Amino acid sequence: MNNESLFSMALGLQSPWKVEEIIFSNDNILEQNELHLQIGFEPGARFADESGGLCPVHDTVDRQWQHLSFFEHSCYLHCSVPRITTTDGKVRTVEVPWARPGSGFTLLFEAMAWALIV
C-alpha cells in the first residue's frame, strides 16, 4: 500500500476519486507545517447529472478546501473538480463528496467547528 492509497482510505474516497499527490511543506521561518493533498479522478470517469445519466467530463476547475489538521499541521485538499456536459447539453460542476457546494471547508472541518460552537 502506498501513501496515496492510505490517505484515500483515510478520507473515505471512493472510485473514481483518489489522492494523487501528497505534499508536506514546512516553513522554518514561520515554524509552520502544512499538508496538501491533491485529489483527482480516474481517467475516463463519468459523473451522474440530475437525471442520473452518466456524463463525460467537459473540463475542470481548480478548488481548495481546508480540512481537519493532521496532528498539529494544517491540512488542505486540492482538486481539479470536473465539469460535465449533462444529458440536456448544459455544463455544470460536479459536487464533491467531501464538501458542500461553494464551501471552502470540508464537511469534517465544518462538523468540528459546529461541535465547538454548540
Side-chain angles (χ1 to χ4, degrees), residues 1 10 13-14 18 27 30 32 35-36 45-46 56 71-72 75 83 86 92-93 95 97 99 108 112 116:
M1 177 182 308
L13 299 179
Q14 296 179 359
K18 61 184 179 178
D27 186 332
L30 296 176
Q32 183 175 339
L35 178 65
H36 295 266
R46 291 179 170 259
F71 292 103
E72 70 274 12
C75 181
R83 295 190 329 142
T86 63
R92 74 159 183 87
T93 305
E95 290 185 18
L108 287 174
M112 180 62 75
L116 293 173

Side-chain angles (χ1 to χ4, degrees), residues 17 39 63 65 79-82 93-101 103 105 107:
W17 303 104
I39 299 174
R63 299 275 193 256
W65 301 266
C79 182
S80 293
V81 179
T93 305
V94 170
E95 290 185 18
V96 296
W98 56 86
R100 289 181 306 109
S103 177
F105 303 97
L107 293 169

